[in-house]
């Protein structure tokens, strides 16, 4: 049964499809704004952080799940999470190994604090402002961590975008199998998959958008971003209409 007081969506196939698409948009949109439009990482970070703050204020105002508001926050937080890592690496010279360790430790600390405070990390229990705040902080860190691990594997190690996508895709498949067939803890499986879908989606985004000389398909950041944004918007509209038809309108 759907919990109408929950502030986040049910974890369905639509959830994972949109999440991966949002991840890809986060990677390509950040590159489009900072590189293609030549805004630079600093200005792009300030603009997107302000937009994210506005979207979060609206999200907390609603007090329950609304597809448009929720997924707008996810897309923006994906972009901001990407920019945080990119700024640390490109502007401040922090290595990808260091950022991976830092964000891993921060994420574990948030999970620990969240659990000791609320006694649960489950998705279906995000029904208070305090739990939702923990949730969004964790989500931001998963995107920053995913950016670090994705870039570390695909670029710094020289593995390449396609091979990285296969590695992260295989890891997600293993976790999925563990959940369905080996009774892996649902909360653990969710958060591991959530973290891994970030570098998986980012690797796909880079593979599609990067020039062929860099190992990509050369579709560009504009084309890739618009394609995935259209898919996200279509699915969000569908889910909104489905929710309205079911009488679950916030």
């Amino acid at each position: 049964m759907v919990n109408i007081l929950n502030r986040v969506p049910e974890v369905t196939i639509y959830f994972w499809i949109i999440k991966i698409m949002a991840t890809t948009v986060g990677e390509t949109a950040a590159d489009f704004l900072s590189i293609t439009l030549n805004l630079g990482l600093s200005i792009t970070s300030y603009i997107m952080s302000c937009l994210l703050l506005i979207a979060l204020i609206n999200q907390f105002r609603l007090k329950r799940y609304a597809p448009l508001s929720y997924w707008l926050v996810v897309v923006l937080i994906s972009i901001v999470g990407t920019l945080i890592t990119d700024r640390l690496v490109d502007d401040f010279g922090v290595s990808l190994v260091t950022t991976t360790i830092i964000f891993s430790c921060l994420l574990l600390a948030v999970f620990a604090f969240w659990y000791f405070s609320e006694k649960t990390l489950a998705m279906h229990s995000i029904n208070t402002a305090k739990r939702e705040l923990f949730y969004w902080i964790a989500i931001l860190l998963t995107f920053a961590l995913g950016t670090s691990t994705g870039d570390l594997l695909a670029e710094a190690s020289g593995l390449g975008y396609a091979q990285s996508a296969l590695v992260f895709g295989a890891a997600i498949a293993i976790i999925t199998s563990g959940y369905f067939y080996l009774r892996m803890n649902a909360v653990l499986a969710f958060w591991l998959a959530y973290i891994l879908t970030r570098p998986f989606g980012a690797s796909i985004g880079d593979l599609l958008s990067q020039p062929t000389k860099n190992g990509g398909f050369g579709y560009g950041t504009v084309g890739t971003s618009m394609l995935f944004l259209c898919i996200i918007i279509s699915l969000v509209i569908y889910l909104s209409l489905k929710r309205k038809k079911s009488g679950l309108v916030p």
Side-chain angles (χ1 to χ4, degrees):
M1 179 182 242
V2 178
N3 181 2
I4 63 172
L5 296 180
N6 213 30
R7 296 172 179 239
V8 299
E10 292 182 274
V11 182
T12 65
I13 186 63
Y14 295 114
F15 175 91
W16 290 115
I17 292 173
I18 300 176
K19 199 278 181 179
I20 293 173
M21 298 285 178
T23 290
T24 305
V25 170
E27 182 74 14
T28 57
D31 289 344
F32 170 71
L33 293 170
S34 62
I35 300 174
T36 306
L37 293 185
N38 201 30
L39 294 177
L41 288 173
S42 296
I43 295 177
T44 303
S45 298
Y46 297 143
I47 293 173
M48 300 314 298
S49 295
C50 288
L51 292 176
L52 174 59
L53 179 60
I54 294 171
L56 279 171
I57 290 173
N58 180 66
Q59 172 67 18
F60 277 93
R61 179 187 64 82
L62 293 175
K63 296 185 174 61
R64 64 179 68 178
Y65 171 62
L68 179 59
S69 174
Y70 175 87
W71 288 111
L72 175 61
V73 172
V74 171
V75 170
L76 290 173
I77 213 168
S78 173
I79 297 173
V80 172
T82 299
L83 289 167
I84 289 173
T85 296
D86 287 347
R87 286 207 68 192
L88 287 173
V89 174
D90 296 341
D91 289 353
F92 298 100
V94 183
S95 72
L96 286 168
V97 173
T98 302
T99 57
T100 298
I101 294 173
I102 290 173
F103 290 129
S104 296
C105 292
L106 287 175
L107 184 58
L108 287 173
V110 169
F111 281 146
F113 197 62
W114 181 358
Y115 184 80
F116 286 125
S117 174
E118 300 297 310
K119 307 304 179 187
T120 180
L121 302 176
M123 279 281 290
H124 62 263
S125 69
I126 313 296
N127 50 21
T128 67
K130 183 179 180 182
R131 290 182 179 182
E132 188 177 8
L133 180 60
F134 279 125
Y135 174 80
W136 288 120
I137 293 173
I139 294 300
L140 177 62
L141 290 172
T142 64
F143 279 115
L145 173 60
T147 302
S148 296
T149 55
D151 289 350
L152 180 63
L153 191 62
E155 298 175 6
S157 71
L159 186 61
Y161 303 122
Q163 292 83 352
S164 295
L166 289 174
V167 169
F168 289 117
I172 294 169
I174 291 172
I175 293 170
T176 303
S177 299
Y179 171 69
F180 282 108
Y181 302 112
L182 301 177
R183 298 184 180 180
M184 184 178 184
N185 179 271
V187 175
L188 176 62
F190 170 80
W191 284 110
L192 286 176
Y194 203 99
I195 292 169
L196 289 171
T197 49
R198 171 59 182 84
F200 175 68
S203 296
I204 293 175
D206 283 333
L207 179 64
L208 293 172
S209 64
Q210 291 298 314
T212 53
K213 65 179 181 180
N214 293 339
F217 290 164
Y219 295 141
T221 55
V222 177
T224 305
S225 297
M226 292 306 298
L227 171 64
F228 284 86
L229 269 176
C230 288
I231 297 174
I232 290 172
I233 292 171
S234 298
L235 287 174
V236 169
I237 291 174
Y238 166 74
L239 292 174
S240 298
L241 293 174
K242 182 179 178 182
R243 187 174 176 85
K244 183 177 181 179
K245 187 177 180 180
S246 302
L248 298 175
V249 180

